Amino acid sequence: MAAAATTKISWRLQEFQAHSSSVSCLVLGKSSGRLLATGGEDCRVNIWAVSKANCIMSLTGHKTPVECVQFSMSEEQVVAGSQSGSIRVWDLEAAKILRTLVGHKANITSLGFHPFGDFLASSSMDTNIKLWDIRRKGYVFRYKGHTEAVRSLAISPDGKWLASGSDDYTVKLWDLTQGKPITEFRSHAAAVTVVQFHPNEYLLASAGADRTIRLWDLEKFSMIGSLEGDTSAVRCLSFSPDGSCLYSGATDSLRVFGWEPDRCFDVVSVGWGKVSDLAICNQQLIGVSHQLSAVSSYVVDLKRVKNSGGMVIQGIVQDNKPFAEPSKEAKGAALRRSYERPTTTCSKQRVKQRSDTERRSPEGERRSPSEEEGDEKVSSTEIHNADDYKEIFQPRNAISRTPPKISEPFPAPPEDETVSSLGHQLKDLKSPFPDKPQAPPLASSTPVQWVEPTVISSVRCPSPPDIPPSSKPAVTTVTTSKPKPQSKIILSSRKKPIGLNVADFLPSSPNRPSGSLSDDEALTQIKKGHDTMCVMLSSRLKNLQTVRGVWVKEGVKNALDLAVSMNDLSIVVDILNIINQQPSLWRLDLCPTVLPQIDALLQSKYESYIQTGVTTLKLVMRHFWVLISDTLKATPSVGVDITREERHQKCRSCCEQLKNLNNLVKKKAAQVGRHGSTFRELQLLMVPLDDAL
């Protein structure tokens, strides 16, 4: 009862090691809010029960890192897409693979099950969206129209429409049954990473890197709201079950929005980092995030979050009254049309399919039955927790599907709980990697020294072609692989300070009596280098003020030239981050100055610098490659045209620099993990350079 009387609005539920390598994606089961699937660079999909740190089952079969994962509506199936473009569907109740789908040419970015039929939609960095029939091989429809990578997709509650968001800044609405576009929404100023249908009304929400949320009326095909306030990119959206408000998940914060009129009801500082997915259950919002190989889950008590701004009665907003539960009559008389869900099975809602002779495998290639059967034989499921598996996926009462519809809310921790309590939870953790050494419990008072993790593999991998089968081990082996020596990339989001060492806070001389340092000695150690950092930041501020003054007086070109002449990449990054948010500032004159800086940024050890370099290179390719190519291919003009000659010289210089960058991107694309994935996406964008003059 003490926990029930807590005043906490949000708290961390748990943190655990989910994979033997970095986690690349995760998703919550939306029906129950109690099931979690994670995908990792170890090519596995692991299934968890939220609030339990024991892996229920592990699904194998992918040969490249898993990039996207999704549950079916009933949570009886899970689908995962890989870096190579392959898709695998597993039946969780039967603990076996159902289908392997191959057809995309690049990373899978988003997946979605049809609400009523055995259909699955997928999007990819190859700019295509495909609709698959899980019962058969090959895709049903391919939706083409986006010019850059498709980042997200969603299927409407009635199963008739599909919405997609892309790096080309657009949101497209498709007729799912006809395979044709209905309309296109253009209002975002950056990549669209999230799309979400309203649960009842003809309303669509979209959000992305421009830190805004747009609301679209699907009857009039017009924008009815623009919700702003997030200080970072919006990472996930979730309408409340009754559709009265919209929850927006961004870095470390949750916002609650209303529309017509646009307003923000509440802001909750959760501290969940880069949240990846949201689910609502028992008046609690569950959020999950990941960093490296760890996954964290958080709970927000929605009963303590303001989710309405009052009732509109005869045009007067009364802020002191919450929204009432809409009656059946009120729902029928909503402001806009509601979805008509079929009352029968999917047979009457079936998507118009092509004949089997027209059904294709991947474009340009056909897979033999034996090849696909071989792939499915490689796939397997490893049940790590038989009790949880039987309880969740094989319930004794068939009517009571699991995760259970009726479940208790997660209790809030006591008010005085500290981080040290997390150590007790991790102490008894049963890892899905039994031979992997467990991380020590987190301490609440001592800074933790970071130790480079050792990669442990407990999965038997196929031997290379030149090794005879007899040399393969007969039993599962544990091997420790040392990573290839390469420069350590400093992540843009990290939970530990750089430069602090646990040993600095321990007695250094052997004759010193045992015990902790005094407060003055500890403060001296912590502040070591502080003065130097202050001098560096002050110098950086002065340089930025100088650049800003030149920008105001002489324009962006001279300001950028000055920033480059300072030989400080941090200044260049700050300026480019501003210019990248305003594409209208870009001109061809900037490219010869910027491109050499991109080369340095892409080879930096700082992840934030790499991200800025990648974004800038994308903008240059998007806005200027066609102009550069056409200028270089144009026939020489008769007479002297100084302006044209200068433009031709700039284009020639840019082309050479872009070719050098293309070679660098190809080398970086061979990396494993999210950085390699980023460069492979960039490589697809730079394909036209291979045919350049």
Side-chain angles (χ1 to χ4, degrees):
M1 287 298 181
T6 182
T7 58
K8 284 182 176 290
I9 297 178
S10 64
W11 61 92
R12 181 164 62 181
L13 186 63
Q14 65 174 4
E15 181 174 353
F16 57 91
Q17 298 296 119
H19 288 263
S20 60
S21 59
S22 294
V23 177
S24 51
C25 58
L26 48 77
V27 69
L28 286 163
K30 300 301 185 294
S31 299
S32 67
R34 294 295 187 267
L35 208 56
L36 172 68
T38 61
E41 293 180 3
D42 56 4
C43 309
R44 285 174 169 251
V45 176
N46 291 334
I47 308 298
W48 313 78
V50 176
S51 80
K52 294 184 179 180
N54 299 330
C55 180
I56 299 174
M57 59 195 305
S58 186
L59 312 175
T60 63
H62 278 298
K63 300 175 183 177
T64 55
V66 177
E67 294 288 328
C68 183
V69 63
Q70 187 63 258
F71 284 109
S72 64
M73 298 296 174
S74 63
E75 299 177 3
E76 295 175 351
Q77 298 173 354
V78 68
V79 60
S82 73
Q83 207 171 75
S84 64
S86 67
I87 300 170
R88 293 175 190 267
V89 186
W90 286 271
D91 184 324
L92 298 178
E93 189 171 313
K96 68 175 184 179
I97 189 168
L98 287 180
R99 183 68 66 192
T100 299
L101 306 171
V102 181
H104 284 291
K105 298 179 180 179
N107 301 33
I108 303 298
T109 56
S110 185
L111 295 162
F113 279 93
H114 192 276
F116 309 116
D118 294 321
F119 298 101
L120 171 71
S122 63
S123 64
S124 169
M125 287 184 184
D126 62 10
T127 75
N128 291 325
I129 302 168
K130 295 190 177 183
L131 183 69
W132 311 81
D133 186 341
I134 300 175
R135 299 163 298 182
R136 300 175 175 85
K137 300 176 183 178
Y139 60 86
V140 180
F141 281 120
R142 180 175 62 181
Y143 307 87
K144 297 180 65 176
H146 285 293
T147 57
E148 293 192 32
V150 183
R151 289 295 173 185
S152 60
L153 60 81
I155 299 177
S156 62
D158 61 359
K160 296 179 180 178
W161 291 348
L162 184 146
S164 59
S166 168
D167 280 356
D168 60 13
Y169 303 179
T170 65
V171 177
K172 291 183 183 293
L173 190 66
W174 310 82
D175 186 321
L176 199 67
T177 61
Q178 299 296 324
K180 298 178 180 178
I182 297 175
T183 189
E184 176 183 272
F185 300 119
R186 288 183 174 270
S187 180
H188 285 283
V192 181
T193 55
V194 190
V195 289
Q196 184 74 39
F197 282 97
H198 190 281
N200 303 313
E201 301 176 9
Y202 274 32
L203 192 66
L204 175 71
S206 62
D210 61 359
R211 297 175 289 182
T212 64
I213 303 171
R214 312 290 187 185
L215 291 169
W216 312 94
D217 187 314
L218 301 184
E219 284 188 285
K220 301 177 181 177
F221 300 125
S222 61
M223 186 174 71
I224 63 163
S226 178
L227 310 175
E228 301 179 2
D230 282 304
T231 56
S232 60
V234 179
R235 301 183 59 81
C236 43
L237 296 173
S238 179
F239 282 98
S240 60
D242 62 359
S244 61
C245 64
L246 177 65
Y247 298 102
S248 166
T251 302
D252 287 328
S253 66
L254 172 74
R255 278 177 163 78
V256 189
F257 288 106
W259 57 94
E260 295 178 324
D262 298 341
R263 57 217 186 273
C264 180
F265 295 136
D266 205 349
V267 180
V268 181
S269 179
V270 185
W272 50 26
K274 293 185 176 180
V275 62
S276 298
D277 198 20
L278 302 174
I280 299 173
C281 181
N282 289 328
Q283 298 187 46
Q284 290 182 333
L285 182 140
I286 316 300
V288 286
S289 60
H290 62 87
Q291 184 169 6
L292 299 178
S293 60
V295 169
S296 301
S297 58
Y298 295 79
V299 179
V300 179
D301 188 352
L302 297 183
K303 291 181 289 186
R304 298 183 179 276
V305 175
K306 187 178 180 182
N307 59 7
S308 67
M311 293 183 62
V312 179
I313 302 178
Q314 295 181 353
I316 301 176
V317 179
Q318 298 184 352
D319 290 329
N320 60 339
K321 294 184 179 180
F323 281 114
E325 179 69 22
S327 62
K328 293 182 179 180
E329 292 79 6
K331 290 180 179 179
L335 291 176
R336 55 182 54 83
R337 188 176 171 188
S338 297
Y339 297 108
E340 297 177 359
R341 294 173 174 80
T343 56
T344 59
T345 61
C346 62
S347 59
K348 295 185 179 180
Q349 186 67 22
R350 186 158 300 170
V351 175
K352 185 177 69 176
Q353 302 175 19
R354 298 176 297 177
S355 63
D356 290 338
T357 57
E358 294 175 320
R359 192 179 302 277
R360 298 181 58 189
S361 244
E363 301 134 47
E365 60 178 277
R366 291 184 177 272
R367 307 184 75 204
S368 64
S370 60
E371 182 181 356
E372 184 159 335
E373 288 172 5
D375 273 352
E376 295 184 1
K377 287 179 180 178
V378 173
S379 303
S380 65
T381 57
E382 301 171 9
I383 299 176
H384 297 283
N385 192 321
D387 293 337
D388 283 349
Y389 169 73
K390 291 178 181 178
E391 178 185 351
I392 294 177
F393 298 110
Q394 292 184 339
R396 297 177 182 177
N397 186 351
I399 299 178
S400 176
R401 283 299 309 149
T402 303
K405 297 296 181 181
I406 301 176
S407 56
E408 293 296 325
F410 294 117
E415 293 296 329
D416 58 348
E417 180 177 350
T418 61
V419 182
S420 60
S421 64
L422 184 61
H424 299 291
Q425 185 178 4
L426 294 178
K427 188 175 181 180
D428 301 325
L429 171 64
K430 180 180 178 182
S431 172
F433 326 106
D435 298 313
K436 180 179 178 180
Q438 295 299 310
L442 298 179
S444 60
S445 59
T446 307
V448 180
Q449 181 181 14
W450 179 255
V451 180
E452 187 67 25
T454 303
V455 180
I456 304 294
S457 174
S458 59
V459 183
R460 182 169 58 189
C461 299
S463 59
D466 56 343
I467 299 178
S470 59
S471 65
K472 295 173 65 175
V475 296
T476 302
T477 60
V478 181
T479 59
T480 303
S481 60
K482 296 182 179 179
K484 296 181 180 179
Q486 58 181 3
S487 58
K488 174 74 175 177
I489 294 180
I490 299 176
L491 301 179
S492 57
S493 59
R494 51 187 180 270
K495 297 181 179 179
K496 60 186 184 66
I498 295 177
L500 289 183
N501 194 322
V502 176
D504 293 339
F505 298 88
L506 300 176
S508 56
S509 59
N511 56 359
R512 176 180 294 181
S514 59
S516 60
L517 297 178
S518 66
D519 290 345
D520 292 338
E521 290 174 322
L523 285 173
T524 301
Q525 295 292 339
I526 294 174
K527 293 172 64 176
K528 185 170 60 178
H530 175 73
D531 293 338
T532 303
M533 178 59 67
C534 288
V535 171
M536 292 175 59
L537 292 178
S538 298
S539 174
R540 182 173 175 181
L541 176 60
K542 291 179 181 178
N543 288 338
L544 285 173
Q545 290 173 339
T546 303
V547 172
R548 183 178 182 275
V550 173
W551 190 327
V552 173
K553 293 180 180 179
E554 303 178 24
V556 62
K557 175 65 167 63
N558 291 333
L560 188 58
D561 290 338
L562 177 61
V564 171
S565 68
M566 292 178 176
N567 293 321
D568 187 348
L569 268 183
S570 63
I571 303 295
V572 175
V573 168
D574 289 338
I575 302 302
L576 288 178
N577 284 337
I578 296 173
I579 299 175
N580 290 344
Q581 292 180 5
Q582 304 180 51
S584 59
L585 294 175
W586 277 96
R587 301 195 308 272
L588 182 62
D589 291 345
L590 300 182
C591 295
T593 304
V594 169
L595 289 174
Q597 303 304 311
I598 294 178
D599 187 283
L601 293 176
L602 295 184
Q603 300 186 67
S604 171
K605 65 179 180 179
Y606 297 105
E607 184 184 36
S608 59
Y609 286 18
I610 297 175
Q611 292 171 346
T612 299
V614 169
T615 302
T616 306
L617 186 53
K618 285 182 179 180
L619 286 171
V620 171
M621 288 296 298
R622 182 186 299 122
H623 291 286
F624 299 108
W625 172 246
V626 175
L627 172 63
I628 293 172
S629 178
D630 291 346
T631 300
L632 296 179
K633 292 178 181 178
T635 55
S637 60
V638 180
V640 178
D641 188 341
I642 297 178
T643 303
R644 185 184 181 282
E645 290 297 328
E646 290 178 348
R647 185 170 65 250
H648 191 278
Q649 184 176 358
K650 291 177 184 176
C651 291
R652 174 62 63 184
S653 173
C654 291
C655 184
E656 293 300 324
Q657 292 171 352
L658 285 171
K659 285 185 176 180
N660 294 334
L661 288 172
N662 189 29
N663 294 331
L664 174 61
V665 168
K666 288 180 179 178
K667 293 179 181 178
K668 296 280 187 180
Q671 296 178 355
V672 177
R674 62 176 179 179
H675 297 111
S677 176
T678 299
F679 282 107
R680 280 188 288 277
E681 176 188 353
L682 192 55
Q683 184 181 4
L684 289 174
L685 187 63
M686 301 183 73
V687 166
L689 281 166
D690 296 332
D691 302 326
L693 297 175

